[in-house]
Amino acid sequence: MDIPFLNLKDINARHADELKAAAARVIDSGWYILGQEVAAFEREFADYCGVRHAIGVGNGLDALSLILRGYKALGALHDGDEVIVPANTFIASFLAITESGLVPVPVEPDPVSFNIDPIRVAAAIGPRTRAIMAVHLYGQLADMAALTELAERHQLLLIEDAAQSHGAASHERKAGAWGHAAGFSFFPAKNLGALGDGGAVVTNDSLLAARVTALRNYGSEVKYQHLYQGINSRLDELQAALLRVKLKYLDEDIAKRRHVARRYREGISHPLIHLPAVADEARHVWHLFVVRCAQREALQRHLQAHGVHSQVHYPTPPHRQAAYPALHELHLPLTEQLHDEVLSLPIGPTLRDEDVQRVIAACQTFEAAA
Ligand SMILES: *Cc1c(COP(=O)(O)O)cnc(C)c1O
């Protein structure tokens, strides 16, 4: 039996009875959009993150876009303003910026943590810079102490793309509680995954929270009165009810991911496979376990031959995507090298010990191509 990269069926099967009861509750209620379940989930998720407000939206990309739109509406951002963003992030971080009429300024990562390098961020700050979008890549917080200091010194907005880092923390402060606002995704494969699309904006900024709450719902606070040109991007009652079940188990799931990561880090010892560096083991939530290998394709084929599925996050950096011809001339050597070398091993809360052992054994028998 092959070891899948992530077994969503197993993950949700553990809570099938509770999930079905939650779904039945919504079906029977007759109320499907912006009701009690969304309100309750927003309260519970805000408490979990340690922030005042959470606003349920349609997906993670919309969460980020709504933060930027919200700050534009509040006068803190203007068309053409620059937003510093990690060069090696998922495309959504870039799309949120460009979709909002802002300009992404990609910055290379720290080669050890893969997260945005504050020294390079400082060097990229110019007269048009108005915001930093930090991405907590793979489940580990970016260096938020350094980024907070930079943002304060230069009066920049600090926004977190927390789509991979539900529950991750640094200095006891969780992802989402560091910046002016943060966007989360509940895409099924995320650490807190719905059974469909979903997302949330979290913030301590009451003005932003009110604006995003209106913008996600046609720019309306009172039915049929439209204060702003909003969009339709709402977390629905069904997903909210399912997420309320899954939120209860998030910390347990994170502990299981940490256990898998610990075993990989103890068990894989190979001159060609570079293990991920960890700033604070107890705070990393291991959305992905990403190794680096100069012979990535050969390693992936070798693992596949041993029944181990792996994935690449991501094969092409945003500045090299067809969607962004204007960015093609950028030269970001570290990011380009990372995209050639990264490989994500299976990790998740239902991965069995014997499967972890098989992944380790498969890695250990990898032989360099001549
Ligand atoms: C998944 C992800 C998103 C987007 O979330 P969706 O819900 O799929 O829109 C944004 N940023 C990062 C870093 C992600 O991993």
Side-chain angles (χ1 to χ4, degrees):
M1 272 261 288
D2 278 12
I3 300 171
F5 178 71
L6 183 70
N7 193 332
L8 285 177
K9 190 173 167 180
D10 277 3
I11 285 174
N12 290 319
R14 298 174 301 164
H15 313 301
D17 290 345
E18 266 187 282
L19 291 170
K20 285 173 185 171
R25 191 169 72 228
V26 175
I27 292 166
D28 294 344
S29 77
W31 192 279
Y32 307 115
I33 295 289
L34 295 184
Q36 289 176 9
E37 298 290 342
V38 169
F41 174 71
E42 288 176 337
R43 188 66 269 133
E44 289 159 11
F45 192 62
D47 289 347
Y48 180 84
C49 296
V51 297
R52 277 206 283 280
H53 310 281
I55 303 110
V57 300
N59 55 67
L61 170 59
D62 284 355
L64 296 171
S65 301
L66 283 163
I67 291 168
L68 297 172
R69 270 173 173 265
Y71 276 124
K72 278 181 88 178
L74 294 170
L77 291 172
H78 299 91
D79 277 335
D81 283 349
E82 291 179 358
V83 181
I84 292 174
V85 62
N88 57 322
T89 183
F90 179 57
I91 192 81
S93 320
F94 276 62
L95 290 172
I97 294 167
T98 53
E99 170 179 291
S100 306
L102 304 167
V103 177
V105 176
V107 165
E108 295 252 70
D110 172 307
V112 175
S113 72
F114 302 111
N115 268 324
I116 197 167
D117 181 349
I119 293 168
R120 292 170 193 261
V121 171
I125 295 173
R128 300 224 60 179
T129 309
R130 290 290 175 272
I132 301 169
M133 183 179 290
V135 182
H136 309 309
L137 214 53
Y138 307 153
Q140 179 164 245
L141 254 67
D143 185 347
M144 294 308 285
L147 295 177
T148 302
E149 200 269 323
L150 275 176
E152 281 172 3
R153 178 143 39 98
H154 296 273
Q155 296 184 305
L156 307 174
L157 290 171
L158 181 55
I159 293 158
E160 298 169 71
D161 177 342
Q164 302 190 358
S165 58
H166 320 71
S170 165
H171 301 89
E172 304 309 318
R173 207 197 289 187
K174 282 198 178 130
W178 281 89
H180 293 93
F184 282 91
S185 164
F186 307 122
F187 180 75
K190 307 289 185 186
N191 283 19
L192 177 60
L195 281 72
D197 276 314
V201 171
V202 307
T203 183
N204 284 317
D205 180 341
S206 299
L207 284 177
L208 181 75
R211 190 59 72 108
V212 168
T213 302
L215 286 175
R216 73 167 170 187
N217 188 28
Y218 298 116
S220 170
E221 286 169 359
V222 174
K223 196 164 184 172
Y224 300 134
Q225 293 181 22
H226 302 279
L227 301 165
Y228 319 111
Q229 295 175 19
I231 62 171
N232 175 4
S233 181
R234 304 169 296 215
L235 183 67
D236 65 65
E237 286 285 285
L238 192 54
Q239 297 306 331
L242 301 171
L243 284 165
R244 292 181 69 197
V245 173
K246 295 193 72 181
L247 181 58
K248 293 191 290 178
Y249 301 100
L250 178 56
D251 284 341
E252 254 172 57
D253 283 0
I254 291 170
K256 290 184 180 142
R257 287 173 178 274
R258 283 196 185 118
H259 172 72
V260 174
R262 195 175 321 113
R263 291 205 48 209
Y264 281 159
R265 294 174 69 234
E266 286 166 4
I268 301 171
S269 166
H270 192 293
L272 295 173
I273 303 174
H274 300 286
L275 295 172
V278 180
D280 182 349
E281 176 127 37
R283 301 282 171 264
H284 197 321
V285 295
W286 297 105
H287 174 57
L288 297 172
F289 190 95
V290 179
V291 301
R292 282 177 68 180
C293 177
Q295 300 178 18
R296 195 240 335 263
E297 266 70 48
L299 175 60
Q300 189 165 30
R301 273 196 308 275
H302 169 84
L303 293 177
Q304 184 67 44
H306 287 75
V308 175
H309 297 199
S310 59
Q311 288 188 8
V312 175
H313 297 95
Y314 301 92
T316 307
H319 74 282
R320 287 291 164 85
Q321 295 285 356
Y324 285 118
L327 301 180
H328 287 187
E329 67 209 41
L330 287 178
H331 185 50
L332 297 161
L334 200 54
T335 297
E336 288 152 24
Q337 186 187 349
L338 278 179
H339 284 71
D340 287 340
E341 296 187 351
V342 289
L343 189 68
S344 305
L345 302 182
I347 193 163
T350 60
L351 196 62
R352 298 172 311 164
D353 274 346
E354 51 268 42
D355 291 338
V356 174
Q357 195 46 50
R358 272 179 63 199
V359 177
I360 294 171
C363 286
Q364 291 302 98
T365 56
F366 176 57
E367 282 180 31

